[in-house]
Amino acid sequence: MNFLSQLRGELRKLFGRPRTYLGYGVFLLMEAIILIVFKLKGAQKMMRDFVERNGLSFGDAYSSLTVTYWMMGLSMFFLGSIYFALVAGDIVAKESEDGNLRLVLARPISRLRILILKYAAISIYTITFVLFVGVSGYLMAIAAVGTKGGLWAWSPEMKVFSFFPDSSEGLKRIVMAAGGIGLSMVTLSSIAFMFSCFKIKPASAAVATLSVLFVDLVLQRFPFFAPYSEYFVTWRMSCWVYLLENTISWPKIASSYVFLGGLNITLFLIGYVAFRLRDVKT
Amino acid sequence: MLQVTGLSKDFGGKPALRNVSFQVEKGEIHGLLGHNGAGKSTTLGVILGMVEPDQGEAFIGGISVQKKHSAALRQAGAIFESPSFYEYLSGWENLRILVSYSGRFNAKETRAVVEKVGLTKAIDAKVRTYSHGMRQRLALAQALVPEPEILLLDEPTDGLDPEGIKWFRDFILGLRKERGTTVLFNSHLLAEVEQMCDRVTILKEGKLVHAGKIGDLQGDTHIYQAEFEPWAEAAAFLELNGVQILGRGRVALPPEADPAILIAALVGLGVRVSAFAPIRRSLEDLYLEITTQASPTR
């Protein structure tokens, strides 16, 4: 009960910041831009050519579900990584920089509990934000494209190409994919959270997080590392795409999320040790 | 109520505290003084568990802060210089969040404290709209819920106007009177410390250089203000009796001298004694005297 009340306070702090809502606005704008691109004739022609070359009907593939899939994937890849790195990078470092942490640490609460609360809050925030992007993207796509059609998903990196002609099955899969992206993004937030626990500026925590992801992504593309791709964080984070395969391979998905879960725990523990050993001057 | 024993702490090889020990009795208002960098904030940091000492321990109500952090801090409330709240939230929301870290949030108790510190009207406004004085009142409110046994105040009156300082002083003194709250008061404002504190601990370069009652220190003087007529005759007599003449109107008696006997002798010689009283040194005099002496040896 007390934990929930404290968690509520953490969420209130997170959702009370004006810049949080700026983020929501920026994502809606990004989704609108992606939607406009999908409505462009040139883009539709490219998609038609590609889809029909693969034996699908453009009329069935070009749908609100397909647009939502691309919206979620692209906006999370380009903007989500930056946004979550910023928000999670702030979670401890900003309070430390602003001096709020002094008032918190002067209370009878352990540092471990403070971090558990903050980690829980940032995880909830990450997952709900991804769901918001999914729902808002879907609603915008329905307004622009209508409800007809199935779901076409394609990810060359993860070797996934699938089509769900039944829109209800497509919707179910897109909801599952949104949950999967949310879980994957928790790892990104965990990296930023860990850096945030060190005695660094909030912006430095965000930059360090993005650097880790960038290096991981670049190394993964080297032919030398191709056999080891499953050891890269960004590859594991992309495993949500497997939820869109025609036949879901649960062991493959579970192994990736277990990997990410273990990584998250490790990152939390490193952050905790750094935070525990820190002196916070009054 | 509060005890620190043998605190030592280095920051990057630079000693911030060196074997500092002192204690604060229950119901006492205790001043912690020292120049910038003397180790006051580090001491407070150790007491609140924010700074891990290299050696030594701090106890609140007999419970070690370093070993049982939460249990020890359950008895304490703290205020810092320029307290940083969540600016984008209201005063009430800030209180709710901070108090919840101490256990269950009690709205009734919190509202009573808000009223006591005079923030009722502004409590629902965003903290970013608060003046410095209102922030200090909010800081005081958060420190008082739940009711602490000891208040740790770090430069609480810095930046307040004279009215604000007086209000704060009266509030703390009232708190001690009503509830018997113990207070550790870290301040640069020596006049404030002098008016509020029963005892002081003075730090210099991380070492304790003085600890004791203010009254004892001020009373421990042999310097007197004296007005005699004729002055020259009286001064000559006093010098013969080992009294040091510091100037016209100021004399220093040897420790063994009895002022009453000297005055009686002077009167017997026909000297008119119109004034003879010990000069009480202000805390500022005492502080400057102690802190400008050679480096501490204790």
Side-chain angles (χ1 to χ4, degrees):
Chain A
M1 185 66 189
N2 197 32
F3 181 84
L4 290 179
S5 150
Q6 290 167 347
L7 182 59
R8 183 177 167 273
E10 282 301 326
L11 290 170
R12 183 73 194 93
K13 281 192 264 177
L14 207 51
F15 282 98
R17 283 184 196 152
R19 79 192 227 185
T20 299
Y21 297 97
L22 196 71
Y24 281 87
V26 171
F27 267 86
L28 287 175
L29 187 68
M30 175 91 175
E31 287 180 328
I33 291 169
I34 294 169
L35 198 57
I36 289 167
V37 170
F38 266 90
K39 293 291 276 182
L40 293 176
K41 281 190 179 162
Q44 285 193 16
K45 187 180 178 303
M46 275 174 66
M47 185 179 161
R48 180 189 295 275
D49 291 347
F50 184 81
V51 164
E52 288 181 352
R53 261 205 318 272
N54 285 281
L56 298 174
S57 147
F58 177 72
D60 289 338
Y62 184 75
S63 68
S64 53
L65 289 170
T66 300
V67 173
T68 306
Y69 161 74
W70 287 100
M71 268 185 187
M72 285 200 304
L74 292 172
S75 62
M76 280 302 143
F77 182 79
F78 288 112
L79 211 54
S81 49
I82 297 170
Y83 186 64
F84 291 128
L86 280 171
V87 174
D90 265 9
I91 194 92
V92 179
K94 183 86 173 113
E95 286 207 14
S96 179
E97 187 182 60
D98 290 350
N100 309 127
L101 209 50
R102 296 183 306 173
L103 286 172
V104 175
L105 290 174
R107 319 289 309 188
I109 182 167
S110 69
R111 292 193 186 196
L112 178 62
R113 192 170 173 117
I114 291 171
L115 289 192
I116 288 172
L117 285 165
K118 288 192 179 298
Y119 189 76
I122 201 69
S123 301
I124 291 169
Y125 179 81
T126 304
I127 292 169
T128 53
F129 193 90
V130 172
L131 294 178
F132 163 80
V133 170
V135 170
S136 59
Y138 184 54
L139 292 176
M140 285 166 80
I142 285 176
V145 184
T147 51
K148 285 184 181 170
L151 167 64
W152 168 60
W154 178 49
S155 172
E157 293 85 8
M158 304 303 285
K159 299 178 180 63
V160 171
F161 186 100
S162 54
F163 179 66
F164 303 93
D166 177 14
S167 60
S168 62
E169 177 63 17
L171 182 61
K172 192 178 112 189
R173 292 303 188 94
I174 211 85
V175 169
M176 286 165 69
I181 296 174
L183 287 178
S184 294
M185 283 294 167
V186 168
T187 296
L188 195 157
S189 296
S190 301
I191 299 171
F193 174 88
M194 178 200 72
F195 284 121
S196 187
C197 292
F198 285 87
K199 198 176 179 179
I200 56 174
K201 298 255 179 209
S204 307
V207 169
T209 305
L210 292 173
S211 304
V212 167
L213 289 175
F214 181 73
V215 169
D216 186 276
L217 203 61
V218 169
L219 289 180
Q220 198 195 131
R221 309 272 160 161
F222 281 18
F224 176 77
F225 288 112
Y228 312 106
S229 60
E230 63 191 43
Y231 294 104
F232 285 90
V233 181
T234 44
W235 189 89
R236 291 289 184 180
M237 282 172 68
S238 303
C239 70
W240 61 271
V241 178
Y242 293 141
L243 290 162
L244 298 174
E245 281 185 310
N246 285 91
T247 307
I248 297 177
S249 170
W250 289 109
K252 201 161 61 175
I253 292 166
S255 75
S256 282
Y257 282 114
V258 166
F259 177 95
L260 292 177
L263 182 63
N264 293 349
I265 292 169
T266 307
L267 292 166
F268 178 88
L269 289 175
I270 294 171
Y272 169 67
V273 171
F275 188 61
R276 180 73 191 81
L277 296 175
R278 257 178 75 179
D279 287 327
V280 179
K281 282 196 166 188
T282 61
Chain B
M1 185 68 221
L2 171 71
Q3 192 180 10
V4 297
T5 53
L7 291 188
S8 292
K9 177 71 183 175
D10 281 15
F11 287 114
K14 194 182 165 203
L17 287 177
R18 286 181 280 177
N19 196 28
V20 170
S21 301
F22 66 92
Q23 60 180 38
V24 180
E25 302 298 335
K26 192 167 170 52
E28 180 188 329
I29 300 183
H30 193 103
L32 186 60
L33 306 177
H35 293 315
N36 288 335
K40 307 186 299 291
S41 293
T42 305
T43 304
L44 211 60
V46 172
I47 293 169
L48 287 167
M50 294 185 199
V51 174
E52 190 66 26
D54 296 331
Q55 279 179 358
E57 246 176 306
F59 298 87
I60 299 177
I63 302 170
S64 167
V65 176
Q66 281 65 42
K67 287 178 185 153
K68 292 184 176 177
H69 174 266
S70 296
L73 287 194
R74 216 169 285 284
Q75 306 169 77
I79 301 179
F80 305 103
E81 179 189 1
S82 311
S84 304
F85 291 99
Y86 305 102
E87 301 280 319
Y88 49 90
L89 299 178
S90 70
W92 182 255
E93 285 173 312
N94 269 276
L95 283 180
R96 195 182 184 101
I97 289 169
L98 291 168
V99 172
S100 74
Y101 290 129
S102 297
R104 190 181 288 267
F105 175 74
N106 183 330
K108 197 178 165 191
E109 184 191 3
T110 309
R111 217 165 272 288
V113 170
V114 166
E115 197 178 329
K116 197 173 169 65
V117 300
L119 260 186
T120 307
K121 280 184 186 168
I123 199 65
D124 293 320
K126 296 261 190 282
V127 171
R128 76 165 74 94
T129 64
Y130 281 22
S131 66
H132 185 66
M134 287 160 80
R135 282 163 196 266
Q136 282 306 76
R137 286 176 192 236
L138 185 62
L140 195 53
Q142 65 81 29
L144 292 174
V145 189
E147 191 179 320
E149 292 289 322
I150 182 167
L151 266 180
L152 305 162
L153 312 177
D154 188 13
E155 308 279 3
T157 52
D158 253 28
L160 291 181
D161 57 25
E163 279 179 7
I165 292 174
K166 184 181 180 313
W167 178 89
F168 197 89
R169 181 176 64 229
D170 292 345
F171 189 92
I172 297 296
L173 290 172
L175 210 59
R176 193 252 294 262
K177 196 175 170 187
E178 284 170 30
R179 302 180 182 177
T181 309
T182 309
V183 180
L184 179 66
F185 186 61
N186 169 9
S187 177
H188 280 117
L189 301 175
L190 298 176
E192 277 307 299
V193 173
E194 193 169 5
Q195 287 184 65
M196 285 175 67
C197 298
D198 307 305
R199 290 198 306 149
V200 289
T201 290
I202 302 176
L203 300 177
K204 184 184 177 186
E205 295 165 14
K207 283 192 173 185
L208 190 149
V209 288
H210 183 85
K213 285 186 178 174
I214 293 181
D216 286 354
L217 292 164
Q218 291 172 323
D220 186 24
T221 177
H222 304 291
I223 300 170
Y224 282 71
Q225 185 202 348
E227 285 179 26
F228 304 130
E229 194 60 44
W231 172 260
E233 202 172 304
F237 171 78
L238 291 172
E239 269 188 316
L240 280 174
N241 286 279
V243 175
Q244 192 186 350
I245 308 298
L246 300 173
R248 191 173 176 96
R250 273 169 84 93
V251 297
L253 270 59
E256 69 281 2
D258 184 340
I261 293 172
L262 284 173
I263 290 168
L266 282 169
V267 172
L269 286 172
V271 173
R272 185 166 171 264
V273 180
S274 53
F276 194 76
I279 296 174
R280 289 174 67 86
R281 287 177 296 172
S282 69
L283 182 63
E284 189 174 314
D285 293 335
L286 181 77
Y287 173 79
L288 291 173
E289 193 180 306
I290 291 171
T291 54
T292 52
Q293 278 169 3
S295 288
T297 51
R298 280 171 69 174

